[in-house]
Amino acid sequence: MPLTCYSKRLKGHDIDSIYLKLWERNHCNHRDYQNLARNGAASFDANSLIKSMARDQKRDQPALVFYALFGNDVCTCEADLHNMTTPEEMHKNVMETLRSLDKRLPNGSHVILLSLADGRFIYETVHKHIHPVGELRGDLTYENLFNFLNCLQISPCFGWLNSNATIRNETSERAARLSEVLKFVAKTTKFENFDVNFLNLSLEELIEEWKSKGGDAFELFEPFAGFHPSLKAQTLAAEIIWRKLESNSPHVLGNINPSNDMIKKVFGNQGGY
C-alpha cells in the first residue's frame, strides 16, 4: 500500500506514514518495514507476492500486515466490466492468502483488510483539469485523456476513468461488494497465528478532511497519472488509518516502548527511518 516514507519532511512538506508512527511508538520498529506491493496487483496476485516476505515465524516478533488492493480487482483496461473480480473469486483469493500468511507470520501477528476504494471521486475531481501534457496549449483535459485511453483499450481503469457515469457507478457497486467480502472474512474467520481486522478507508472521507483543512481535492491525485494518490493523500491516509486503528483496534499497534529515550541516546540518529 502506498503509505511509505523515510523522512518527516520532503521538499518542505510535512509527511507521515503508518511505519513512521509505529517507529515513534516503539523505536525497536526501526527499519522493520516491508512493502510487498506491485503496481496493478489484484487479489489473484497477492498470494505469490507474500512469498517474498522476510519473516521468521519462530524467531521474529509479531507483524502488522496490511492487505490493501484499493481498486485493482475492479480496474481493467478493456471496455468490459465482466472482467472485474467476482465476490466469489475475492473470497477464494483472500482466504488463500490468509492461509499462506498463517504459515509465515509469527504467533500474535495482526492482519488488516482494507476496503476497496470508491473511485468515482477520481473522475469527478480531475476530469475538467488540464493534464500536464496539455499545459502548453491548454488543450488536453483529463477527460480527454481518459476517453482516448479507453478508445485504445489501454486505460489503467476503464471503469472509473470514464466519462460515462453509469459505468463508474457499476464499478463502484462491484468494489463495494468486494469490500463486503473482506468485512465478512474479518468477522467470521480465525487463524492460529494472527487475528483479522477490517478497516474501511473512504476516498470521500479523505477528500472531505482535506477540504476541511483548506485544500483542493485535486491536490490529492498525482498529476501525471491523474488517479494515483499524491504525497499529500498518502500522508492524510496514514493519519486517518492511524486514528481508526487507535479507536477500533488499538491492540494491533503494540505498547509504547518505555525505553525509546534510551534507545535514542545509545544509537543516536541512524539516518532515515
Side-chain angles (χ1 to χ4, degrees), residues 49-62:
L49 292 174
I50 64 172
K51 293 178 181 178
S52 61
M53 177 184 293
R55 208 72 180 177
D56 189 301
Q57 191 171 43
K58 301 299 182 183
R59 296 185 297 176
D60 287 342
Q61 293 293 317

Side-chain angles (χ1 to χ4, degrees), residues 212-259:
S212 73
K213 297 176 183 290
D216 185 330
F218 181 68
E219 298 173 309
L220 297 177
F221 299 97
E222 190 279 322
F224 195 82
F227 63 95
H228 281 138
S230 67
L231 183 59
K232 295 181 178 68
Q234 295 179 47
T235 296
L236 184 56
E239 295 174 2
I240 294 175
I241 289 173
W242 187 263
R243 289 202 307 263
K244 289 177 178 287
L245 291 178
E246 283 187 314
S247 175
N248 302 321
S249 307
H251 67 285
V252 309
L253 303 177
N255 297 323
I256 297 175
N257 190 341
S259 300

Side-chain angles (χ1 to χ4, degrees), residues 46-117:
N47 201 39
S48 61
L49 292 174
I50 64 172
K51 293 178 181 178
S52 61
M53 177 184 293
R55 208 72 180 177
D56 189 301
Q57 191 171 43
K58 301 299 182 183
R59 296 185 297 176
D60 287 342
Q61 293 293 317
L64 173 59
V65 178
F66 289 89
Y67 181 92
L69 302 171
F70 294 108
N72 293 325
D73 279 273
V74 297
C75 285
T76 173
C77 62
E78 300 175 358
D80 184 0
L81 296 181
H82 291 93
N83 289 329
M84 295 187 294
T85 301
T86 66
E88 294 75 19
E89 289 172 329
M90 174 62 80
H91 187 271
K92 177 179 181 296
N93 292 341
V94 70
M95 289 301 297
E96 181 180 358
T97 298
L98 292 175
R99 283 191 287 266
S100 294
L101 284 173
D102 204 27
K103 298 176 182 179
R104 297 172 180 273
L105 294 179
N107 188 262
S109 295
H110 311 284
V111 174
I112 311 294
L113 305 179
L114 266 76
S115 63
L116 276 72

